[in-house]
Every structure is written in structure tokens, then in C-alpha cells.
Amino acid sequence: MVIKQLSVFLENSPGRLKAATQVLADSKINMRALTLADTADFGVLRIIVDKPGDAVDILKKNHFAVKITEVLAVEMEDTPGGLNKVLEILENNQVNIEYMYAFMGSKPRKALVIFRVDQLEKAIECLRLEEVRLISTEKEVEELIHFCWE
């Protein structure tokens, strides 16, 4: 029930983001979801790809600092309060959210939210008990998100 997310650490300089994504494109690795956060000195590109193991190897070979993190991908209603329902379940079970990012799904009235939590197994258990749909593969993430990378 976990998805492998890559965290790529990038210097805050022009072209560095493109260099990382170019390495992946040249290696035929498809990005399924992403977010970019920054600090004063560097950025963190968090991405879900179709071949996480290969992506890590290729990025390291090209001198990028990268690590794999396990995250939850949750499908939820794209309606007012849809996110709060999931947040309440996690709060009631004392699961802390370290970060999250969301995407509109390709299914009508569905959204996909990626969660990094402090207690992964506990989060999975409490969300399952409340019948929240957890996405289990990178392929399912691709099916729920519609992006044009052209």
C-alpha cells in the first residue's frame, strides 16, 4: 500500500531542475506526479516515476543526490470536505503529516493526495478501517492523474 517517491536535491540555480528531468526523459523514465519545494540554498524535487529503482540509479550516476521515501497515495472525493475527512482520520489516530501534495484525478470528482506521514503502517491501518481507497502501485497513480508532458 505504499508508493516509492524519489526526493532529488537540487542547487537553486538556473537549469538544474531541467537537467534532472532531462536525465529521466533521456532514460525513458516517466514522471507520474511531482512537487518542488525550496529552501535558501537548494530545492527538493519530489517525484513519483514508473521505474523508481532505475531512476535512482540513473540520477546518482549523473551526480544528483537522491533518495527513495515511502509515501501513501490516497484517492478521495474532490468535493468540499473531501480532504478533511482523511485529515480527521489521521488526526484521531495521532498520525502526523510531514508533507502532502495533491492532484486532480482523471476520474470525475476524484482527487489524488500523496502523504508523507510519521507512522506509515498505522496510517494505512486506520485509513483502511474507514474504507479510504489507498493506491498501491505507481501504475495506478498514472491512471488517476492526467498530465501532458509534451
Side-chain angles (χ1 to χ4, degrees):
M1 285 293 149
V2 298
I3 302 292
K4 295 186 184 313
Q5 171 196 265
L6 279 63
S7 295
V8 185
F9 302 91
L10 305 169
E11 304 98 37
N12 274 345
S13 61
R16 197 64 182 145
L17 174 61
K18 182 189 176 288
T21 59
Q22 189 68 56
V23 165
L24 296 174
D26 290 347
S27 300
K28 305 290 189 242
I29 293 176
N30 196 10
M31 295 183 291
R32 307 293 192 204
L34 65 87
T35 185
L36 181 64
D38 68 335
T39 67
D41 300 320
F42 64 92
V44 180
L45 173 64
R46 294 185 173 111
I47 49 178
I48 296 173
V49 298
D50 59 346
K51 298 178 268 187
D54 293 346
V56 168
D57 293 342
I58 290 160
L59 287 164
K60 285 183 176 181
K61 183 178 172 184
N62 284 274
H63 312 290
F64 288 95
V66 60
K67 72 174 188 171
I68 289 185
T69 305
E70 292 184 332
V71 295
L72 293 177
V74 178
E75 183 183 71
M76 63 186 62
E77 295 298 317
D78 181 24
T79 58
L83 175 61
N84 278 0
K85 177 182 172 185
V86 174
L87 295 178
E88 184 174 13
I89 294 166
L90 295 174
E91 177 187 12
N92 289 344
N93 287 277
Q94 301 298 305
V95 175
N96 186 47
I97 299 165
E98 296 176 2
Y99 59 81
M100 58 180 268
Y101 48 103
F103 301 91
M104 295 296 298
S106 59
K107 292 181 181 178
R109 305 202 57 94
K110 295 291 182 181
L112 178 70
V113 181
I114 306 297
F115 288 95
R116 169 75 167 144
V117 296
D118 65 343
Q119 299 175 73
L120 193 60
E121 294 304 320
K122 186 175 183 180
I124 291 169
E125 181 182 333
C126 68
L127 291 170
R128 276 188 181 162
L129 285 173
E130 296 292 333
E131 299 181 1
V132 174
R133 181 161 186 252
L134 301 174
I135 308 306
S136 60
T137 67
E138 288 79 8
K139 181 71 174 164
E140 283 183 277
V141 171
E142 175 186 14
E143 291 168 0
L144 288 170
I145 299 173
H146 58 292
F147 279 112
C148 276
W149 293 100
E150 299 172 357

